[in-house]
Amino acid sequence: MKQLVNAPDQVVTEALQGMALAYPDLIRVHENPHYIVRADAPKNGKVALVSGGGSGHEPMHGGFVGLGMLDAACPGAVFTSPTPDQIQEASAAVHAGKGILHIVKNYTGDVLNFQMAAELLQSDGIEVRTVIMDDDVAVKDSLYTAGRRGVGATVLAEKICGGAAEAGASLDEVAALCSSVNASARSMGLALGPCTNPETGQASFTLGENEIEFGIGIHGEPGRQRIPLQSADTLTEMLMIPILEDLPFKKGDEILLFVNGLGATPLLEQYIVYRAAETVAKKHGLKVSRRLVGAYMTSLDMAGISITLLRLDETMRQYWDAPVRSPALRWGL
Amino acid sequence: MEYSLNALNQWIVCAEHQFKTQLAELNALDAAIGDGDHGSNLARGFAKVVEKLQAEKPATPAALLKLVGMTLISSVGGASGPLYGTFFLEAAKVAGDQLQLDDAGLALCLQAGLAGIQRLGKAEPGDKTMVDALSPAVSALNHQAGLEMAAQKAREGRDATIPMIAHKGRASYLGERAIGHADPGATSASLLFDCLAKL
C-alpha cells in the first residue's frame, strides 16, 4: 500500500500540525497531549462540548471543532481511543463554568478512557455529563456483547448539540438533547475493501475479489456477514431496511438522511447511493427534510459507505439549521 | 522468594522487551478479532514506562507499580491502557510501604490488580479477555504454586480463549467468527507472567 507518510509514529502529530496551519482562524492545536480547541475557547456562558476517539476517522472529530459544534476534540493514536489525561486537559481548556458534555462513541476503549477522565474532572469540581452514542444496527445489543457501536449519528449529535450549546442551553438540556438524537437515529454501513493503518502498515482484513463486508464498523470490525457485491440500489435497500425496521420509522416521519463515505468511495458513488436511499425512504412514506452527503466519518482509506437516518423533531431541526463554522462543516454564516 | 525493587524493575524491562519483539504477533492476533494494534499500543506504553523508570527511579515497589500504572493509562489508550494501568495501580495500593514483597505479598498485589481490571472492564472468565489468562495465574499464586506454574496457567488460559466467543470489546462484534483465534489481551497477559517467571 502506498501512503503519504514520513514516519509511522508521527502520523497523528504531523496531521495535527498541518490542520493547525490550514485553519488558523478556526482552531488551535495543542501538542503533548494532543487536542484541538476552537480558536475562541473557552467561550464564556456556554456548555462545553468535547468529543474524541481514535485518529483515522477524519474529519471526525477535529474537523467539527468550531462555532456551533465542538469546543474540543481529542484524537488518539490511529483507531485507538485518547487517554484520560488528554481528555481531562482538553476539557479543562474549554470549560467556561457551565459544565462539559462528553459525546462518546460506544467502543470499550473510548468508554473506559472518557469515564476515567470524567472522574478526574469531577474530582476537580467540574460538572461533566456523558452521552454514549450507539446507533449501529449491524451489531446485536445484548448482555453478551459490548453493545451497539457509535457511528454516523455522532456527527449529527455533535452538530445539533453544538447548536443548542451555542444558543445558551444548559448542560442538562444539551445532554438530554444528545440522548434524544442517539435514541432517534439508526445507522448501518458496508465496505468494499479494507483500510490500511499507517502506524502498523497492515490492512484491516481481506475480502475476496467480488465480496463485500455487510454491517462494517468504522475500524474495519465486521458486522453481520460477507456477501457478494450487488448493484448500488440493491445494497442501499439492504442497508435501509434494517435501519427502518429497527427504530422503527413510521409513515409521515420527518427525517434527516445522511449518506457517509468511509474514505475511499468517491462522491460520484455516494450520490448514487443517496439517490437510492431517498427513493427507499420516500417509498416508506418518510418525509426527507434535511440531508447530508459526504465523507464525514471515515475509516482511513476504506472503500464503502454508511447510511444514518435521524427522526427529526422541531428542536433538532432548529439546531441542525443553526450556523456552524468548523473545518469540515460550515453553513449559515 | 523475595521481590525487591530491582526484581520488579527487571520484570517491567522484560515486559517491554517482550512487547517490542512480539509486537507484530500481537498486532496479528488483534487484526483477526479487533483492529490490529494491541502490540503497537503496548510497545508504545511500555517503552514510555521504561523511559520513566530510568528517569525517576522510584524508591519502593508501590511507587514503581504506581508509576507503571499511571504511565500506561496516559500513553496506551484503547481499552488496554486503562485496564493494564488499573492492574498496576491497584497492585501498588496493596504494596503499601514495604521495601520488598514476599510470595504472599506479591500474590495479594496481583489479586488486587485483577480485581481492579474486572471492576473496570466488567469481564468474567470465559468472556475471551485478558481475565482468562490473569485469573488462573493469580489463582495459582494464591495457592502458592510458584511463578513458573502461574505462567503455565496464564498460557493455558490464553490457549483456552481460542475456541471462545468474545463477549467484551471489539471482538464481541464478530460473534462466532471470533472462534479459532487466541485473545490478544490474554496473550499479552500471559507474556507478563512469562516475564515474572524469569525473575
Side-chain angles (χ1 to χ4, degrees):
Chain A
M1 191 63 199
K2 293 176 199 158
Q3 292 178 318
L4 291 168
V5 163
N6 296 310
D9 61 347
Q10 291 301 307
V11 166
V12 173
T13 303
E14 291 180 358
L16 287 174
Q17 288 168 350
M19 210 179 157
L21 291 169
Y23 300 104
D25 52 330
L26 298 180
I27 56 164
R28 280 183 284 121
V29 171
H30 189 276
E31 288 187 34
N32 293 318
H34 288 143
Y35 56 85
I36 301 162
V37 300
R38 56 191 276 181
D40 57 355
K43 186 83 178 150
N44 276 338
K46 79 178 279 291
V47 169
L49 258 59
V50 179
S51 192
S55 294
H57 305 300
E58 291 70 23
M60 165 80 60
H61 295 271
F64 303 137
V65 173
L67 186 148
M69 218 158 161
L70 296 177
D71 292 88
C74 310
V78 171
F79 288 177
T80 300
S81 63
T83 61
D85 53 314
Q86 184 184 356
I87 301 164
Q88 179 195 21
E89 264 201 55
S91 300
V94 295
H95 184 232
K98 296 280 183 178
I100 294 168
L101 178 68
H102 283 166
I103 302 176
V104 182
K105 300 188 298 305
N106 190 31
Y107 295 95
T108 310
D110 289 315
V111 172
L112 291 183
N113 284 284
F114 270 94
Q115 181 190 328
M116 283 188 156
E119 285 165 13
L120 292 170
L121 288 158
Q122 280 153 354
S123 70
D124 288 338
I126 297 177
E127 211 181 345
V128 183
R129 296 262 198 294
T130 302
V131 174
I132 310 270
M133 303 297 300
D134 59 353
D135 52 307
D136 187 358
V137 301
V139 173
K140 259 192 255 170
D141 186 12
S142 81
L143 284 175
Y144 304 106
T145 68
R148 288 180 163 179
R149 301 173 291 218
V151 288
T154 315
V155 178
L156 312 182
E158 289 175 2
K159 168 66 189 83
I160 290 167
C161 295
E166 204 74 53
S170 70
L171 180 56
D172 283 341
E173 289 165 342
V174 179
L177 182 58
C178 195
S179 300
S180 163
V181 170
N182 183 50
S184 309
R186 295 291 187 274
S187 305
M188 180 124 150
L190 62 82
L192 310 178
C195 53
T196 311
N197 186 327
E199 289 184 356
T200 62
Q202 299 294 317
S204 52
F205 53 86
T206 47
L207 284 175
E209 180 65 22
N210 211 26
E211 200 177 33
I212 65 163
E213 181 78 45
F214 191 70
I216 193 79
I218 56 170
H219 312 95
E221 333 86 272
R224 295 194 170 183
Q225 55 192 323
R226 287 188 177 178
I227 57 171
L229 179 65
Q230 291 161 72
S231 73
D233 284 0
T234 305
L235 289 173
T236 302
E237 183 149 14
M238 287 174 69
L239 289 177
M240 287 289 282
I241 297 304
I243 293 172
L244 289 164
E245 285 172 351
D246 196 275
L247 192 45
F249 292 84
K250 296 186 302 294
K251 237 182 168 67
D253 279 347
E254 181 185 341
I255 62 159
L256 185 160
L257 177 55
F258 172 27
V259 168
N260 175 56
L262 289 176
T265 287
L267 262 176
L268 185 82
E269 291 172 37
Q270 292 176 41
Y271 288 140
I272 293 172
V273 170
Y274 184 83
R275 166 185 176 271
E278 183 156 330
T279 305
V280 173
K282 283 178 176 158
K283 214 164 60 187
H284 280 75
L286 301 179
K287 183 175 169 245
V288 183
S289 81
R290 296 294 182 275
R291 296 130 176 121
L292 186 66
V293 185
Y296 291 101
M297 177 188 239
T298 60
S299 302
L300 297 165
D301 57 346
M302 186 186 285
I305 50 130
S306 66
I307 299 178
T308 301
L309 259 65
L310 168 65
R311 182 188 285 152
L312 285 171
D313 64 21
E314 176 79 41
T315 312
M316 290 179 203
R317 191 192 328 108
Q318 174 195 340
Y319 292 131
W320 177 258
D321 290 345
V324 59
R325 193 158 180 264
S326 67
L329 218 52
R330 283 186 233 190
W331 61 68
L333 280 171
Chain B
M1 197 168 145
E2 299 287 332
Y3 305 94
S4 62
L5 192 61
N6 191 33
L8 294 176
N9 204 63
Q10 274 177 35
W11 176 32
I12 301 303
V13 168
C14 169
E16 188 263 346
H17 181 72
Q18 282 280 14
F19 292 139
K20 191 163 63 191
T21 51
Q22 309 281 323
L23 184 151
E25 197 179 329
L26 285 170
N27 281 348
L29 283 174
D30 192 22
I33 64 170
D35 66 353
D37 60 6
H38 188 59
S40 302
N41 288 343
L42 286 183
R44 179 178 64 238
F46 274 83
K48 192 86 189 163
V49 165
V50 166
E51 188 187 309
K52 281 210 177 181
L53 282 176
Q54 281 163 357
E56 298 184 21
K57 301 206 183 313
T60 61
L64 179 142
L65 294 166
K66 187 177 174 193
L67 186 146
V68 175
M70 292 302 290
T71 309
L72 292 178
I73 288 173
S74 66
S75 61
V76 175
S80 50
L83 291 170
Y84 275 128
T86 298
F87 179 76
F88 286 99
L89 284 186
E90 293 298 317
K93 286 185 194 164
V94 176
D97 53 7
Q98 299 172 76
L99 291 176
Q100 51 187 6
L101 301 167
D102 58 14
D103 285 314
L106 180 70
L108 280 176
C109 286
L110 300 187
Q111 173 76 47
L114 171 63
I117 283 186
Q118 290 201 256
R119 194 166 55 244
L120 192 63
K122 300 178 181 72
E124 297 295 328
D127 284 342
K128 197 173 181 117
T129 71
M130 55 177 72
V131 171
D132 288 303
L134 290 173
S135 179
V138 168
S139 174
L141 287 185
N142 281 334
H143 290 90
Q144 293 156 16
L147 289 175
E148 187 44 58
M149 179 54 79
Q152 172 67 27
K153 289 289 174 193
R155 287 192 292 271
E156 290 172 16
R158 171 201 65 199
D159 293 343
T161 63
I162 295 173
M164 289 178 188
I165 289 180
H167 292 155
K168 297 286 169 187
R170 282 186 202 162
S172 71
Y173 305 134
L174 276 106
E176 292 189 348
R177 281 199 269 174
I179 292 174
H181 302 278
D183 179 63
T187 307
S188 59
S190 149
L191 291 174
L192 270 183
F193 271 87
D194 284 342
C195 280
L196 256 188
K198 284 183 192 153
L199 294 182

